[in-house]
């Protein structure tokens, strides 16, 4: 081999080893070339074979082929090479005497002599492909042979036959080469054999193999222009070229010869462009055969475990070998016994057991019609902590239904009501029509729905896009397909056979404005020209001709965002709502004033909205053939909106809720509109309904500057996706005044002028979410800061307008921040551990059956917030494994020591020629070990919360029972032949009982240790590891509860210890809120007051409801007093019962508020109605209103009022955030322990003031700190019982007297609340049997015990809080406010 000037001269025996760095080789298939330049290649002389190394370090051997060729370079690498290497010596296209090539992963790489590298030739394009008609001649035999030599046969033939053979069932078309012309309309051809370009006729194909969506696609003949723009070297086919491109493997629904009668061809023809594995289908198959290597930690750990054990076995082998040689044993015995040690330490059954467990999981998945092509992923399914969902067809139903049409009435320029049927959209007779309505716009809307589509008729059935199909079905019209395709290039002569649409029988007349019968004209729309939907333009249009008219009509439908740009010449840019209102006044309205509002109304509720527009143009056939799309789709009159409904699947909300309970994050990744995606997310609870959702748009950059100059609105993400100098701005989709910091992605304080009383602005800012479009995602990946990208990935819940490649990249990005990510998948994982012994009986008859059936246990039906470990060497596996091993050794040591003390003890005898195991030590250890292996399988069998209980696994239970009975038989009374075969020695009956009791005792210790001790040790090891080797935590929520929570939830700590811990935390709280001086104290308080004024009325109302007010009534009845007062009671002497203390506090409300019979009284935040029921009983002439946001509370109060015969009590269920009471309705409003859940007291007091009559009064009962207010943000109390809560100071309400004036204030010592909580705690402890069913009903059987402990701790914490320092630090404040 000689390396000349920029070229390589190869000889027969030369061979190349291709080595390229990761930076240079992104993937051999993607790079499409092998570089043999001396800079990056090492070349080694060998026989005619070669090696390549790809980016993942994988080597592969290739056969290098050499054939005589004798044709120019352009015949192999395409016509582009001609112009690239033009020289003065006329050597622009040199001849290749020899063709040298290699096949790498079914792709052929040919050696380019001028570039010194192997290059893909599958993207070759003939330079003569310039005229469509000339291509129909095809190729001669010589040219076909030459091209077959270069490109190979048209086969997708996998060498190793497998299940893929079913996918790639080949057609008899292996002889096709690029340039061949074949008949597409052949009836025997049902599937396209290669990538082709349609030359004549038309075709409808099903491309679901490529897209996954069974949507028929129409194909039209190629044009000379499309030939010139066709780029076969690109990874994708452009949208324009795809209209003519036939993809290999797609199914032919219909293929027709040319229908216009002007084409001489009698059949439909196509030219071959790519064959074999160079086709799109071939690329798909190759991606399945050669996926990106994925190394799973589970298998790495398995090999690591085996390697470590092999090292231990090797050390044991050497030690045993040396010892056996020292004892002068026979060589065959030394080898057998030393090698036997290796099989003991490294269990041969381990790989088989792991494989069997995976196969069991696959079989369970198959029963649910879930098929896995990568069994490795089953073992990490249970580790998922984020799942990405597509929207359409996954969260929502596949199809869309037309909800109705909203048309624009002129000249008022207002939208009509929703017209949900075609008969209401355009009544068929004059007497059915409203004479005050101009129905011309109704006609235009109906005609648009009937004609603006790409439907086709196949075997008497309409096929096409599902949205078009639903829209056309709404009209009830009929479709007749003509021979002339309106979307194809037409001839200069007038065709006679258009596609037509007609109304149903009985309504086939177009009534003129007079409504007279004589003016009736038969309706028939002929579609004479069309422009297909283009994703960049987001619209489609047709030109239709109505019978009896001289003008044609243009009908356009598309995304509402693009409608304003094409409706009028002076509105060809996006304008904001306020700009639109101003222009409508000055220049006449282009669209209705409520255009944006109505669009937002529907998109926010998950509906899909399509805009419609129309105009009339003179009918001139020659002119229509030349009209450009921009001209046809401009100067239009806006018609209205077509609203489509995409319903959630029945199981969606329940699935999302189950994943949420399990702590698995859900992400929506869709190609749909971002507002629609957010709405669907809120509907299925994937996005918090009460929280802000922030959307990013481009604020800087070239396009943003131009947008500002021309008043273009880029709020929907249209902008500088390719501009590295752009800047993102995050605004709430519900109120743009709320924004995020661009660096931290944390909410910014709202501006002073913002109206935070709006419903969405009352939402929880702490639990906000993000939504981004594909353009924003791409910009953040390409140009954004890494830290901001990471923050976005952690918080973002909706990814909209995402392409398939971007969806794939999203999953990879989530994996880079340590998420275990799935795409609509779930699974379970179990890591078991097996022991081994040196007896054949134990290996074959104990371990193997038990190990096989351990994996038979099914997954637990309810997902858990904890994650199972996916590592065989994690602390969760190794700690109990080592602990059980130590216990086994300890039990065996007891048996060994005890047997040596027996009178009948038979010691081991050394036999240098054969193994001698017939002694008392071996017998005792063998019998104990048999039981230990059985019991270890029981102890280590994983159950809830990851798997079902062991009792549900019948084969495993039977195996364990049989093994236990057989081991007992061997122990107590084996047959003589069996004892001799097992080489067992005699033992006394007493010793046999001792062995049995020892085994049972060892099992008890192992079970208790596994359930209690080893878990605690594993967590302790984990904490020590984190402390000694701190590392970056995963950027996601940590759902693993700390050890303290585990101890509290399990009830392992006595109340004395818990009280001590609570008091310690109270001292920490005092230190955290106290100020160094009085000046700082007031400064901090005023800052807190100002912050409250800028916040919504309440946050996390839904969470608070779930924590307290939607808890089962029976849970509270078992704790509270007879009047169900869920707030502080009053103990004047300290000897009162709980019932008496309830009445005592209720009486103070009456006295302090000045209630009198006959007043209208509102109990605001009434709880379980202790106050409202008491007031109704005390004041029978008063009208009492109870207000609660809990359905359970309303139901309970209504039942109590009915049983007491109270007719003066009315209960309202509502949310104080957005509920507005009747003005001037109440004399007294009583609020007991509701203000602690509020934030913006100024807005709350204003709302209450509006409900009070002049001179009316508000009485407030809240718990407070004596001096300092603070929020409940983190910690056990906030997490489980008081999310979003406030601890007011005693004087906090003084700062919110704008609408109401403080008349009087009282302080009630915290000792009363402490005594109340102690009574609740005592009653709960004595009512365990009665409260338990209600806990199970509320929290589920598996969590009833946990919540029993949590409620007790809650009462303990409250009791200690209010008893602190004698009740003078935290207590209850009473206020009386009066309306001025």
């Amino acid at each position: 081999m000689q390396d000349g000037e920029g070229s390589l001269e190869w000889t027969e025996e030369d061979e190349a080893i291709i080595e390229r760095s990761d930076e240079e080789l992104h993937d051999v298939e993607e790079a499409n070339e092998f570089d043999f330049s001396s800079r990056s290649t090492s070349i080694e002389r060998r026989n005619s074979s070669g090696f390549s190394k790809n980016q993942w370090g994988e080597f592969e051997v290739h056969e290098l082929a050499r054939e005589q060729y004798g044709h120019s370079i352009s015949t192999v690498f395409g016509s582009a090479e001609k112009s690239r290497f033009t020289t003065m010596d006329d050597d622009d296209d040199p001849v290749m005497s020899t063709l040298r090539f290699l096949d790498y992963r079914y792709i052929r790489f040919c050696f380019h002599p001028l570039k010194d590298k192997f290059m893909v030739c599958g993207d070759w394009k003939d330079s003569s492909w310039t005229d469509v008609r000339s291509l129909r001649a095809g190729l001669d035999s010589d040219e076909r042979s030459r091209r077959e030599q270069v490109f190979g046969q048209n086969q997708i033939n996998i060498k190793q036959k497998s299940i893929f053979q079913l996918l790639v069932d080949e057609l008899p078309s292996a002889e096709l080469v690029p340039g061949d012309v074949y008949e597409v309309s052949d009836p025997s051809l049902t599937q396209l054999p290669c990538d082709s370009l349609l030359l004549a006729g038309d075709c409808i194909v099903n491309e679901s193999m490529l897209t996954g969506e069974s949507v028929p696609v129409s194909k039209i003949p190629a044009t000379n222009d499309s030939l010139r723009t066709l780029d076969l070297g690109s990874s994708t086919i452009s949208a324009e070229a795809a209209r003519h491109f036939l993809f290999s493997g797609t199914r032919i629904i219909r293929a027709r010869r040319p229908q216009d009668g002007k084409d001489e061809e009698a059949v439909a023809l196509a030219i071959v462009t790519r064959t074999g594995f160079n086709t799109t289908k071939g690329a798909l198959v190759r991606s399945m055969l050669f996926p990106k290597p994925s190394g799973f930690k589970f298998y790495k750990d398995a090999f690591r475990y085996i390697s470590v054990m092999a090292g231990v076995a090797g050390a044991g082998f050497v030690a045993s070998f040396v010892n056996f040689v020292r004892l002068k044993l026979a060589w065959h015995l030394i080898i057998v016994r030393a090698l036997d040690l290796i099989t003991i330490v490294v269990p041969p059954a381990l790989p088989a057991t792991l494989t069997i467990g995976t196969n069991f999981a696959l079989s369970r998945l198959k029963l649910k019609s879930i098929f896995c092509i990568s069994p490795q992923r089953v073992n990490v399914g249970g580790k998922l902590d984020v799942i990405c969902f597509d929207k359409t067809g996954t969260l929502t139903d596949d199809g869309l239904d037309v909800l109705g049409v909203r048309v624009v009435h002129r000249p008022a320029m207002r939208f009509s009501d929703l017209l949900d049927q075609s008969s209401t959209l355009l009544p068929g007779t004059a007497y059915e029509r409203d004479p005050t309505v101009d129905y011309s716009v109704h006609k235009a809307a109906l005609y648009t729905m009937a004609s603006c589509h790409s439907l086709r008729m196949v075997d008497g059935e309409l096929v096409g896009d599902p949205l078009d199909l639903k829209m056309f079905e709404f009209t009830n019209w009929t479709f007749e397909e003509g021979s002339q395709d309106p979307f194809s290039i037409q001839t200069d002569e007038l065709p006679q056979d258009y596609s037509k649409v007609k109304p149903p029988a009985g309504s086939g007349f177009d009534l003129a404005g007079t409504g007279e019968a004589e003016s009736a004209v038969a309706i028939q729309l002929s579609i004479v020209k069309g422009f297909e939907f283009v994703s960049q333009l987001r619209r489609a249009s047709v030109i239709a001709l109505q019978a009896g008219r001289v003008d044609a009509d243009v009908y356009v439908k598309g995304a509402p965002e693009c409608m304003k740009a094409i409706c009028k010449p002076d509105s060809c840019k996006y304008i904001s709502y306020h700009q639109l209102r101003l222009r409508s006044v000055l220049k006449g309205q282009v669209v209705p004033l409520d255009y944006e509002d109505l669009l937002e109304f529907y998109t926010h509720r998950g509906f899909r909205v399509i805009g419609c527009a129309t105009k009339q143009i003179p009918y001139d056939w020659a002119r229509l053939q030349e009209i450009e799309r921009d001209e046809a789709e401009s100067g239009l009159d806006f018609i209205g909106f077509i609203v489509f409904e995409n319903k959630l699947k029945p199981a969606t909300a329940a699935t999302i809720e189950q994943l949420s309970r399990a702590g698995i994050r859900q992400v929506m990744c869709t190609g749909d509109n971002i507002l629609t995606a957010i709405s669907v997310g809120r509907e299925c609870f994937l996005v918090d309904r009460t929280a802000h959702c922030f959307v990013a748009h481009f604020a800087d950059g070239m396009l943003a500057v131009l947008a500002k100059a021309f008043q273009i609105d880029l709020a929907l993400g249209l902008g500088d996706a390719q501009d590295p100098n752009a800047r993102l701005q995050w605004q709430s989709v519900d109120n743009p005044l709320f924004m995020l910091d661009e660096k931290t992605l944390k909410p910014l304080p709202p501006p002073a002028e913002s109206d935070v009383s709006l419903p969405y602005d009352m939402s929880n800012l702490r639990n906000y979410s993000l939504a981004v479009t594909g353009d924003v995602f791409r910009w953040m990946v390409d140009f954004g800061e890494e830290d901001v990208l990471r923050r976005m990935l952690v918080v973002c819940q909706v990814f909209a307008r995402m392409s398939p490649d971007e969806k794939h990249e999203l999953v990879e990005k989530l994996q880079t921040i340590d998420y275990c990510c799935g795409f609509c998948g779930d699974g379970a994982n179990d890591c078991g551990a097996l022991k081994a012994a040196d007896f054949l009986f134990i290996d074959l008859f104990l371990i193997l059956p038990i190990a096989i059936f351990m994996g038979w246990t099914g997954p637990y039906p309810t997902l858990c917030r904890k994650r199972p470990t996916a590592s065989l060497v994690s602390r969760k596996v190794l700690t109990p494994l080592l602990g059980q091993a130590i216990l086994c050794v300890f039990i065996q040591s007891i048996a060994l020591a005890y047997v040596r003390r027996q009178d009948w003890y038979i010691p081991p005898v050394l036999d240098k020629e054969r193994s001698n195991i017939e002694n008392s030590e071996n017998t005792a250890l063998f019998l104990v070990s048999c039981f230990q292996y059985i019991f270890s399988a029981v102890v280590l069998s994983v159950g809830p919360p990851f798997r079902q209980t062991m009792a549900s696994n019948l084969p495993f239970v039977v195996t364990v029972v049989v093994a236990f009975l057989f081991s007992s038989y061997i122990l107590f009374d084996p047959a003589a032949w069996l004892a001799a075969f097992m080489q067992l020695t005699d033992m006394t009956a007493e010793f046999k009982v001792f062995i049995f009791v020892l085994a049972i005792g060892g099992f008890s210790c192992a079970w208790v240790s596994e359930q209690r001790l080893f878990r605690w040790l594993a967590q302790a090891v984990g904490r020590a590891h984190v402390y000694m080797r701190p590392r970056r935590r995963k950027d996601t929520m940590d759902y693993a509860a700390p050890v303290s929570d585990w101890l509290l939830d399990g009830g392992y700590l006595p109340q004395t210890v818990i009280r001590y811990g609570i008091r310690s935390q109270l001292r920490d709280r005092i230190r955290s809120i106290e100020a160094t001086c009085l000046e700082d104290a007031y400064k901090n308080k005023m800052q807190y007051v100002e912050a409250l004024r800028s916040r919504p009325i309440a946050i996390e109302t839904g969470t608070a409801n779930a924590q307290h007010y939607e808890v089962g009534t029976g849970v509270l009845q078992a704790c509270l007093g007879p009047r169900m007062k869920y707030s502080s009671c009053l103990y004047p002497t300290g000897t009162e019962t709980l019932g008496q203390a309830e009445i005592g506090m209720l009486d103070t409300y009456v006295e302090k508020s000045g209630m009198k019979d006959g007043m209208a009284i509102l109990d605001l935040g009434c709880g379980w109605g202790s106050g409202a029921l008491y007031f109704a009983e005390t004041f029978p002439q008063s009208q009492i209103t109870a207000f609660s946001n809990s359905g359970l509370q309303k139901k309970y109060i209504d039942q109590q009022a009915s049983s007491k015969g109270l007719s003066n009590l009315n209960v309202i269920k509502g949310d104080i955030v957005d509920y507005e009471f009747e003005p001037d309705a109440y004399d007294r409003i009583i609020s007991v322990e509701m203000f602690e859940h509020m934030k913006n007291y100024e807005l709350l007091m204003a709302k209450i003031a509006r409900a009070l009559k002049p001179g009316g009064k508000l009485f407030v009962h809240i718990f407070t700190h004596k001096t300092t207010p603070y929020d409940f943000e983190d910690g056990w109390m906030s997490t489980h019982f008081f999310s979003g809560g406030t601890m007011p100071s005693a004087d906090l309400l003084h700062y919110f007297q704008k609408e109401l004036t403080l008349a009087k204030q009282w302080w009630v010592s915290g000792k009363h609340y402490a005594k109340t909580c102690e009574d609740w705690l005592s009653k709960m402890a004595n009512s365990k049997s009665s409260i338990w069913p209600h806990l199970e009903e509320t929290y589920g059987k598996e969590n009833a015990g946990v919540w029993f402990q949590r409620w007790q701790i809650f009462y303990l914490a409250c009791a200690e809080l209010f008893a602190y320092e004698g009740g003078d630090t935290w207590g209850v404040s009473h206020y009386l406010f009066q309306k001025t």
Side-chain angles (χ1 to χ4, degrees), residues 50-54 58-62 103-105 290:
F51 300 87
S52 69
K53 177 184 177 183
N54 65 14
E58 297 174 337
F59 285 88
E60 193 165 330
V61 180
H62 310 281
D103 291 326
Y104 174 77
R105 293 187 173 181
F290 308 107

Side-chain angles (χ1 to χ4, degrees), residues 882-897 925 928 932 998 1001-1002 1005:
L882 295 176
Q884 295 292 347
I886 292 173
L887 280 177
C888 286
V889 172
F890 178 70
I891 297 300
Q892 291 176 9
S893 299
I894 294 176
L896 187 63
L925 291 177
V928 170
Q932 284 184 320
L998 180 63
C1005 293

Side-chain angles (χ1 to χ4, degrees), residues 156-158 162-171 191 277 281-282 285:
I156 302 178
N157 188 21
I158 302 171
S162 67
I163 60 173
F164 288 106
Q165 193 170 8
L166 299 175
L167 173 67
V168 295
D169 192 16
E170 292 297 330
L171 297 168
Q191 196 178 58
F277 280 96
K281 176 184 176 181
V285 174

Side-chain angles (χ1 to χ4, degrees), residues 389-404:
F389 289 97
D390 188 21
K391 184 181 75 68
T392 306
T394 303
L395 297 176
T396 62
D397 289 329
D398 291 321
L400 293 169
D401 294 319
V402 178
L403 183 70

Side-chain angles (χ1 to χ4, degrees), residues 165-202:
Q165 193 170 8
L166 299 175
L167 173 67
V168 295
D169 192 16
E170 292 297 330
L171 297 168
S173 53
E175 296 81 8
L176 291 176
V177 296
D180 270 338
V181 175
Y182 66 98
E183 180 186 349
V184 183
S185 53
D186 186 343
S188 64
L189 188 64
T190 60
Q191 196 178 58
L192 292 168
C194 55
D195 282 355
S196 315
L197 201 65
L198 188 63
L199 299 180
D202 62 75

Side-chain angles (χ1 to χ4, degrees), residues 1086-1251:
M1086 294 313 299
Q1087 288 177 343
Y1088 186 80
V1089 169
E1090 290 303 316
L1092 290 180
R1093 288 196 174 105
S1094 66
R1095 301 175 78 176
I1097 288 181
I1099 64 174
E1100 300 197 52
T1101 54
T1103 306
N1105 219 27
Q1107 291 172 343
H1108 287 280
Y1109 310 124
E1110 291 292 354
V1111 173
T1113 305
V1115 175
L1116 276 301
Q1117 280 181 317
C1119 308
L1120 306 183
R1123 288 196 168 268
M1124 290 286 283
K1125 189 177 191 304
Y1126 191 37
S1127 55
S1128 177
C1129 302
L1130 191 65
Y1131 298 81
T1133 66
T1135 60
E1136 289 81 3
T1137 65
L1138 181 57
Q1140 292 170 340
E1142 287 182 323
I1143 297 295
M1145 185 61 83
L1146 291 171
D1147 283 338
T1148 64
Y1149 299 162
V1150 174
E1151 177 187 350
K1152 294 177 179 177
S1153 65
M1155 288 187 203
K1156 294 179 182 179
D1157 201 5
M1159 287 184 171
I1161 302 169
L1162 170 64
D1163 187 355
L1164 185 59
C1166 61
W1168 271 266
S1170 61
L1173 291 167
Y1174 183 75
F1175 304 149
E1177 296 172 21
T1178 306
F1179 305 114
Q1181 303 302 316
S1182 294
Q1183 182 60 42
I1184 311 299
T1185 301
F1187 184 86
S1188 170
N1189 67 341
S1190 166
L1192 287 178
Q1193 290 180 345
K1194 181 182 187 307
K1195 181 180 178 182
Y1196 175 80
I1197 298 171
D1198 285 337
Q1199 290 173 346
Q1200 291 296 308
S1202 177
S1203 65
K1204 294 176 181 288
L1206 300 175
S1207 60
N1208 61 333
L1209 176 59
N1210 178 44
V1211 185
I1212 299 175
K1213 179 183 179 297
D1215 191 340
I1216 189 62
V1217 168
D1218 52 19
Y1219 190 88
E1220 194 64 39
F1221 297 97
E1222 183 180 347
D1224 301 332
Y1226 302 105
D1227 298 291
R1228 294 290 185 274
I1229 296 180
I1230 312 298
S1231 178
V1232 178
E1233 294 194 19
M1234 185 200 75
F1235 274 51
E1236 297 91 332
H1237 294 285
M1238 303 295 108
K1239 293 298 180 184
N1240 194 322
Y1241 295 114
E1242 190 167 282
L1243 291 176
L1244 177 62
M1245 301 285 261
K1247 185 185 288 277
I1248 293 173
R1250 291 193 294 271

Side-chain angles (χ1 to χ4, degrees), residues 26-27 29-30 54-60 104-105 286-296 300 374 376-377 808 812 815:
H26 299 294
D27 181 11
E29 299 177 52
E30 295 177 3
N54 65 14
Q55 70 189 78
W56 299 294
E58 297 174 337
F59 285 88
E60 193 165 330
Y104 174 77
R105 293 187 173 181
R286 280 191 295 110
S287 68
M288 299 169 69
L289 291 173
F290 308 107
K292 177 183 176 181
S294 53
F296 289 100
K300 292 180 180 178
S374 179
Q376 294 175 323
R377 287 170 170 79
H808 177 76
E812 291 185 337
Q815 291 171 339

